[in-house]
Amino acid sequence: MEFDQQLLVNTLKAEREYTDLPYSLHIFDSLSSTNQTLWELLAQGEKSTCVVIATQQTAGRGQWGRQWVSPTGGLYLSVGISPKLIATDAYQLTLASAWGIAAQLRKCGVSVGIKWPNDLVLDGRKLGGILTETKVYQGQVTQAVIGVGINWVNPVPQTGINLELWQKSQNRQPIPCLEILTSRVLLGIESGLECLSDEGIGILLSRYLDLLINMGDQVYVNNLLGTVVGVTSQGNLRLRMAAYDTKELITPEISVEPGTISLGYCKSSV
C-alpha cells in the first residue's frame, strides 16, 4: 500500500498552521512493531518527538503482552514524547490519547466512542486501540511511546470494524484516505496531550468520560455485581458494588486496574 508522505505533511501543516512539523516522520510498508522500531530509533539518538508509521506489523503488541494482529491495510503508528509525569500517573497518557483521537474523528463525522481503558469503538465494534509504553527513572516518566492501531481497509475479526467499510455503509466518506486518517490520529494525540498539560487531568477525565461507552455497564468482580460509574485519574475503573447484608442494601465503591477485568464487546464480563 503506497503512503503519500507529502500529502500527510501538507495536511498536518494546514491543520496546525505549522511552518515545519514539530516531529520527524519515519514511514514503512511493514515493520515488526512500530513501538519497537521507535524505541530503537530513540536508542540510536533520534529526537524524542519522532513518529513511526506502518501499514502492516508482523509482531504487533497489545496491552498486557497480548498479540496485536496487524494485517496489511491498517494504520499502525507510534509517537515519542518526553512527558512530565510521575510514574503512577503514566496511564493518563493513554486516557489523553484515546480522548484526543476519538474527538478528532468525531469532528469529521465518525461517531467514535471509547471502551475502557484503551479501545476506540464504532457501532459497538473495535476500530482501534492504544498501547503506551514508558521508561521510568526515580519515580518519573522520562520517555514514553504511544502506539496506535486503527482498522482502515484491513480484514478484522467479528468484534472489529474497519473504517472504509463503515464509510461505505454510511454512503459518505468523511475520511477520504489513509493519509487524512493519519493526520487525524496525530492531531488527536497532540490535542489530548495538550489538554492534559494545559487543563489538567480533571478536565481531560470529564471529556474522556463523555465518550466512554461503558458508563452504567454491569460487571461481576469476585461474584459481586458492580456498575460502572467512572474512571480514576490513574485509569482505574470505578465500580459501585451492590451487596446485601442482613439488614440493608450497601453500595460501596471500588476501583479496578486496567487488565483486571474485561468489559467485552457484547456484554460485560469478568
Side-chain angles (χ1 to χ4, degrees):
M1 176 179 289
E2 292 291 330
F3 193 101
D4 189 336
Q5 179 170 339
Q6 193 57 53
L7 175 58
L8 172 60
V9 170
N10 292 343
T11 302
L12 288 168
K13 286 183 175 180
E15 287 283 349
R16 297 290 268 180
E17 298 183 352
Y18 291 134
T19 302
D20 296 303
L21 294 186
Y23 36 71
S24 58
L25 298 173
H26 302 263
I27 300 174
F28 304 85
D29 291 330
S30 179
L31 287 175
S32 59
S33 161
T34 58
N35 271 26
Q36 178 183 324
T37 298
L38 184 43
W39 282 122
E40 291 170 355
L41 288 169
L42 293 173
Q44 294 165 14
E46 178 63 79
K47 62 181 182 180
S48 62
T49 53
C50 64
V51 175
V52 172
I53 300 169
T55 56
Q56 181 191 35
Q57 293 183 124
T58 57
R61 302 196 298 270
Q63 292 274 16
W64 309 292
R66 297 170 182 163
Q67 180 187 18
W68 177 273
V69 179
S70 314
T72 299
L75 170 63
Y76 314 105
L77 67 80
S78 297
V79 178
I81 59 172
S82 297
K84 295 180 180 178
L85 281 177
I86 61 174
T88 53
D89 288 342
Y91 214 86
Q92 293 177 5
L93 301 174
T94 298
L95 302 180
S97 300
W99 169 75
I101 295 168
Q104 283 291 326
L105 292 176
R106 291 174 74 92
K107 285 182 180 179
C108 298
V110 183
S111 51
V112 175
I114 301 169
K115 185 178 84 69
W116 179 82
N118 66 315
D119 283 358
L120 302 168
V121 295
L122 184 60
D123 282 357
R125 293 188 285 171
K126 184 170 182 174
L127 177 68
I130 298 163
L131 172 64
T132 301
E133 298 175 326
T134 59
K135 286 187 177 180
V136 175
Y137 179 71
Q138 295 184 344
Q140 298 285 326
V141 177
T142 58
Q143 216 163 37
V145 167
I146 299 170
V148 181
I150 304 284
N151 298 322
W152 172 239
V153 297
N154 54 291
V156 295
Q158 188 175 4
T159 54
I161 189 170
N162 78 38
L163 190 53
E164 186 68 357
L165 286 177
W166 179 83
Q167 292 187 135
K168 288 181 179 178
S169 74
Q170 302 294 306
N171 294 315
R172 57 193 181 90
Q173 199 173 29
I175 307 289
C177 61
L178 182 60
E179 293 80 6
I180 300 299
L181 173 61
T182 304
S183 73
R184 292 289 104 194
V185 171
L186 289 173
L187 291 170
I189 294 172
E190 278 189 54
S191 62
L193 295 177
E194 283 179 2
C195 177
L196 177 61
S197 175
D198 297 345
E199 302 186 67
I201 185 59
I203 297 297
L204 171 68
L205 199 55
S206 69
R207 294 175 179 177
Y208 176 92
L209 293 176
D210 284 343
L211 301 185
L212 188 68
I213 67 169
N214 305 112
M215 295 294 285
D217 282 1
Q218 293 188 321
V219 61
Y220 283 93
V221 178
N222 297 327
N223 296 318
L224 294 176
L225 183 64
T227 301
V228 176
V229 295
V231 175
T232 72
S233 60
Q234 283 75 41
N236 297 345
L237 191 68
R238 292 173 50 214
L239 298 172
R240 182 171 296 121
M241 307 303 295
Y244 286 93
D245 64 14
T246 56
K247 296 181 180 179
E248 61 182 344
L249 176 68
I250 57 175
T251 56
E253 184 176 302
I254 67 169
S255 66
V256 294
E257 296 180 357
T260 306
I261 62 173
S262 173
L263 298 180
Y265 275 92
C266 296
K267 188 176 181 179
S268 301
S269 60
V270 174

